[in-house]
Amino acid sequence: MNFQFSEELKMISLSARDFAEQYIRPHIMDWDQRQHFPREVLEKAGEMGFMGIFIPEKYGGSGLGYHEYVSIIKEISKVDPSIGLSVAAHNSLCTGHIFYFGNETQKQKWLPKLAAGEWIGAWGLTEHNTGSDAGGMNTTAVKDGDHYILNGTKNFITHGISGDVAVVIARTGEKGDSHGMSAFIIERGTPGFSGGKKEDKLGMRASETAELIFDNCKIHKDNLIGKEGDGFVQSLKLLDGGRISIGALSLGISQGAYESALKYSKERVQFGKPISSFQGVSFKLSDMATEIAASELLIHKAASLKDNGEKVTTASAMAKMYASEACVKISNDAVQIHGGYGYIKDFPVEKFYRDSKLCTIGEGTTEIQKLVISRNILK
């Protein structure tokens, strides 16, 4: 694989970095403390081309590849992982589901607004009783003439309240049947569709996480994505790409925490010299730098496979698993290097530490990634 990145990619990364510094950094802790979801920032991201990164230009997107996608998510997440998470979820889940599996009419109708950031997307698979066991979902879609009637509740949904359109997976067959679930596009304002409880979270607090509630919600059959029964299989394929974005999110956290720790270690003087000169600190920094390099290579390997249309399931699971676990460790070590100052909100590593844990859980836990990897290598 050739990792000699183009000048265009470097310029895109710089553009994302400038965007994060100008529109996000001044507000990080205010948004975090208030759990405020800054919709206006995502609208600005849309103007920059960051809300439809891999969507073709004919649908209003930027028409870029996964290397560019990874770089944009990483640069935003280095400043505020909450915003990186929202941009990633919007791109890879809701927008991605419509792009990869929707028909031409659906693409023309919804992708331009999503890619422009005019509309914010949500994606609903998880329920209160089903996390990793998505096949046991209780939300149902019952055929009624030319419509489906949806009933049930989804939880842990990014943009569950603020999303203008959601792609929702509901059961149209028997529980446990991988071909018994279907995907639907549902616009906010549809009778019977509402947002529910907003979660009060440890980290990623500026990224809205809430319930989606369906109470006899009537959806026309034209809003079905693909064929009835295809929803779960579509979701598994979609998550292959989504895991690359969580890897990129993890990489941004790792890099942000590492750079903060490196800077602090050179400035903090104890016993007459910078703490970076002590082996206990310098060895931590060397481990962090190595883990970041390994994460980056795994993520860009998966991105290359994705761009080339090759099977990416194992590579994306490896990238997501390694990068997410590394970002928790790196954030923890960054706090340790800061000592007592790492535990207070005046220094950025405190927030990186809180934000990091979500990466080992969202879009498939570390344990699920190991299950995916082991199944594939043992075939």
Side-chain angles (χ1 to χ4, degrees):
M1 280 174 295
N2 179 16
F3 288 136
Q4 296 299 313
F5 295 133
S6 67
E7 287 302 315
E8 180 188 14
L9 178 56
K10 293 174 184 176
M11 290 299 294
I12 290 167
S13 296
L14 187 60
S15 175
R17 188 178 309 172
D18 290 344
F19 164 77
E21 291 293 336
Q22 182 176 354
Y23 296 103
I24 300 172
R25 189 176 293 283
H27 311 287
I28 295 172
M29 294 313 295
D30 174 54
W31 294 342
D32 181 76
Q33 288 165 9
R34 293 193 293 122
Q35 240 188 161
H36 170 68
F37 172 58
R39 183 191 174 100
E40 68 282 357
V41 169
L42 295 195
E43 291 172 354
K44 186 66 182 178
E47 294 175 20
M48 301 288 290
F50 299 156
M51 298 298 273
I53 298 169
F54 53 79
I55 303 302
E57 292 180 18
K58 70 174 183 176
Y59 301 122
S62 298
L64 300 172
Y66 256 71
H67 289 298
E68 290 83 359
Y69 181 39
V70 165
S71 297
I72 290 166
I73 298 301
K74 181 192 77 171
E75 291 298 338
I76 293 173
S77 302
K78 274 174 61 177
V79 175
D80 190 345
S82 297
I83 308 305
L85 173 62
S86 275
V87 173
H90 172 94
N91 273 278
S92 68
L93 297 179
C94 178
T95 307
H97 202 139
I98 297 170
F99 171 59
Y100 288 120
F101 303 108
N103 58 41
E104 189 61 26
T105 300
Q106 291 168 341
K107 292 176 185 179
Q108 292 283 358
K109 182 175 181 179
W110 284 293
L111 288 181
K113 289 182 178 180
L114 288 165
E118 181 183 341
W119 278 18
I120 305 300
W123 190 76
L125 177 66
T126 302
E127 298 181 3
H128 292 279
N129 64 314
T130 61
S132 300
D133 179 21
M137 69 174 58
N138 288 323
T139 298
T140 57
V142 178
K143 192 79 180 289
D144 180 21
D146 287 340
H147 294 81
Y148 288 85
I149 308 299
L150 270 67
N151 281 286
T153 302
K154 299 290 181 179
N155 78 324
F156 297 150
I157 308 304
T158 304
H159 312 143
I161 295 170
S162 298
D164 299 282
V165 62
V167 172
V168 177
I169 318 303
R171 188 160 53 80
T172 48
E174 297 300 315
K175 276 193 178 183
D177 180 3
S178 62
H179 295 284
M181 290 162 277
S182 304
F184 301 88
I185 306 170
I186 308 173
E187 291 186 14
R188 187 73 61 183
T190 302
F193 173 36
S194 61
K197 176 191 174 188
K198 180 178 178 179
E199 303 295 346
D200 188 4
K201 300 175 295 183
L202 169 72
M204 302 289 192
R205 291 171 59 82
S207 181
E208 179 186 273
T209 304
E211 294 175 318
L212 297 176
I213 299 172
F214 304 95
D215 181 9
N216 290 319
C217 180
K218 194 173 185 179
I219 304 299
H220 196 272
K221 65 180 182 180
D222 288 348
N223 288 34
L224 173 70
I225 302 178
K227 296 177 182 177
E228 184 177 301
D230 285 352
F232 186 63
V233 176
Q234 292 170 357
S235 298
L236 292 180
K237 292 177 181 177
L238 195 71
L239 288 170
D240 283 347
R243 285 165 182 160
I244 299 173
S245 66
I246 298 298
L249 172 61
S250 303
L251 180 62
I253 293 172
S254 293
Q255 198 124 30
Y258 164 71
E259 290 175 5
S260 296
L262 183 66
K263 180 175 182 290
Y264 182 82
S265 72
K266 293 176 179 179
E267 296 171 349
R268 174 70 165 170
V269 174
Q270 293 286 273
F271 306 103
K273 51 187 175 181
I275 61 171
S276 59
S277 65
F278 297 115
Q279 196 175 76
V281 172
S282 64
F283 277 17
K284 272 187 169 57
L285 292 167
S286 69
D287 285 344
M288 294 158 82
T290 303
E291 287 159 357
I292 287 169
S295 298
E296 195 158 26
L297 287 168
L298 282 167
I299 293 162
H300 280 289
K301 176 185 177 181
S304 288
L305 293 172
K306 181 72 173 172
D307 281 345
N308 291 332
E310 297 179 52
K311 191 168 177 60
V312 75
T313 304
T314 303
S316 66
M318 287 179 171
K320 195 269 187 189
M321 180 185 75
Y322 185 87
S324 64
E325 291 292 340
C327 89
V328 174
K329 180 179 179 295
I330 288 167
S331 299
N332 179 59
D333 284 345
V335 171
Q336 194 71 16
I337 288 170
H338 279 72
Y341 291 108
Y343 203 66
I344 62 175
K345 294 181 183 293
D346 292 344
F347 288 78
V349 292
E350 178 269 345
K351 184 175 181 297
F352 283 127
Y353 186 43
R354 287 188 288 109
D355 288 346
S356 68
K357 188 57 196 168
L358 182 277
C359 297
T360 68
I361 299 169
E363 296 198 31
T365 62
T366 293
E367 291 72 24
I368 289 295
Q369 306 314 313
K370 290 182 178 181
L371 185 64
V372 170
I373 295 163
S374 62
R375 280 177 176 172
N376 284 321
I377 64 175
L378 292 170
K379 277 181 179 177

